[in-house]
Amino acid sequence: MKSFPNREYFFNYTIQALTELGGSGSNNEINNKVIDILQLPEELLNKIHKDTNQTEFEYQMAWVRTMLKNQGLIENSKRGVWSIKTNQEITLPKFKIQFDKNQAKKVDEEITDVEEWKEKLLNVISENLSPNAFERLVQRILREKGFSQVEVTGRTGDGGIDGVGIAKINGILSFHIIFQCKRYKGKVGSKDIRDFRGAMVGRTDKGLFITTGMFTRDAISEASRDGAPVIDLIDGDLLVEKLKELGLGVSVEFKEEVTIDIEWFKNF
């Protein structure tokens, strides 16, 4: 596969991915499963979408999930987990959906609206925050998420370690973490992950790498490589989602929608 296929091409494979994942999955789980099924080459996966901070593949997969949702075939929870609707019987590979130009346009608008605020927020962070200010923003996010003793070290020559903290699980178990912040518009590669892991040796077994950019596929694989301490990753997309979730510098307004039930009035 040398060129990027039409987005409709991914409908069947998205349903197949969800099926193989047990009926549900996160964005990344679905994307990675589709990549594995189709064996998509790196040159296609690294292609950046012209209007967003996402790759072309990530953007098209978001479009596909939204269209499948609008067709009533899948649904997503508040935590961002997608699942096949329990009342749907989908037979692969014969499964097909029909949609017209208006439906496609509606999905385009939904995806564009989401990507616009994310891109704007990432630009605000990249253009208005210094590296030190970005570290303090990450510190605030971690505190809001329940981390304690979160400190920004700010030391140079420390193997890329920007801060430390203690994470607590369910108020019982706790463990030390170190984190690195990279205010960056490009892609973080596997070398950055290896260097960060090297700095972790003898300090902690848990690391967190936060960037305003993206991680390459190799970096993602390296972060969870067997036999090595796992490093959790937060890319720009997840970062702005966390800011929205926590209401940090982001507010969400819900528009009131009034529906008139004509049938109700016919009872009089």
Side-chain angles (χ1 to χ4, degrees):
M1 188 181 295
K2 295 183 179 180
S3 60
F4 212 88
N6 294 331
R7 49 198 177 189
E8 293 89 343
Y9 176 79
F10 294 105
F11 283 138
N12 273 277
Y13 296 108
T14 299
I15 295 296
Q16 181 180 342
L18 278 168
T19 301
E20 293 185 11
L21 288 167
S24 65
S26 65
N27 290 346
N28 286 337
E29 287 175 326
I30 296 168
N31 289 355
N32 288 333
K33 179 60 71 172
V34 170
I35 290 170
D36 291 340
I37 292 171
L38 295 175
Q39 292 295 296
L40 295 174
E42 286 295 324
E43 55 266 28
L44 287 184
L45 296 175
N46 290 331
K47 183 179 179 182
I48 302 298
H49 186 264
K50 61 179 181 178
D51 298 321
T52 71
N53 192 48
Q54 290 183 305
T55 64
E56 184 69 24
F57 173 73
E58 290 170 334
Y59 183 87
Q60 299 301 355
M61 285 297 294
W63 190 95
V64 167
R65 287 190 297 269
T66 303
M67 176 60 80
L68 290 172
K69 176 183 177 181
N70 289 356
Q71 293 283 327
L73 297 169
I74 65 175
E75 57 190 354
N76 64 322
S77 67
K78 290 182 179 180
R79 292 182 177 272
V81 176
W82 295 85
S83 60
I84 298 173
K85 280 199 169 181
T86 55
N87 62 342
Q88 296 295 326
E89 292 186 7
I90 300 174
T91 303
L92 295 172
K94 297 180 180 180
F95 158 70
K96 290 183 179 180
I97 70 170
Q98 301 293 328
F99 61 91
D100 56 32
K101 290 183 178 179
N102 289 332
Q103 290 172 307
K105 182 180 178 181
K106 181 181 178 182
V107 173
D108 284 332
E109 291 172 349
E110 287 184 49
I111 298 298
T112 299
D113 287 344
V114 171
E115 292 307 317
E116 278 183 352
W117 76 259
K118 288 184 177 180
E119 188 71 16
K120 183 177 180 180
L121 181 51
L122 283 172
N123 286 336
V124 167
I125 294 171
S126 298
E127 295 171 7
N128 293 275
L129 296 186
S130 67
N132 289 339
F134 180 55
E135 291 170 3
R136 293 194 298 273
L137 174 63
V138 170
Q139 180 185 44
R140 174 67 182 276
I141 292 171
L142 295 180
R143 282 173 171 159
E144 294 285 351
K145 293 298 290 184
F147 286 65
S148 62
Q149 299 182 37
V150 184
E151 297 180 11
V152 173
T153 59
R155 294 193 295 267
T156 57
D158 201 17
I161 296 176
D162 293 316
V164 298
I166 297 177
K168 184 162 284 190
I169 302 175
N170 296 327
I172 301 175
L173 298 176
S174 61
F175 52 87
H176 290 264
I177 67 148
I178 59 176
F179 59 88
Q180 180 173 351
C181 311
K182 205 171 187 69
R183 188 178 58 92
Y184 189 58
K185 280 196 172 183
K187 288 190 173 185
V188 176
S190 56
K191 182 180 183 302
D192 296 298
I193 303 300
R194 286 193 296 271
D195 290 345
F196 181 49
R197 182 178 282 123
M200 291 168 52
V201 175
R203 304 187 188 196
T204 180
D205 289 329
K206 198 66 177 174
L208 179 62
F209 201 120
I210 307 103
T211 180
T212 51
M214 295 181 289
F215 295 98
T216 64
R217 285 269 295 168
D218 286 342
I220 294 171
S221 297
E222 177 62 34
S224 57
R225 176 167 54 86
D226 288 343
V230 174
I231 296 175
D232 287 305
L233 306 177
I234 296 180
D235 62 8
D237 190 69
L238 183 55
L239 175 67
V240 295
E241 286 285 0
K242 291 301 177 186
L243 289 170
K244 177 187 172 186
E245 172 192 324
L246 296 168
L248 298 176
V250 180
S251 60
V252 180
E253 297 179 1
F254 294 96
K255 183 179 179 181
E256 182 181 37
E257 184 174 336
V258 178
T259 302
I260 299 173
D261 185 356
I262 298 176
E263 294 299 321
W264 185 86
F265 288 94
K266 292 180 180 180
N267 293 324
F268 291 92

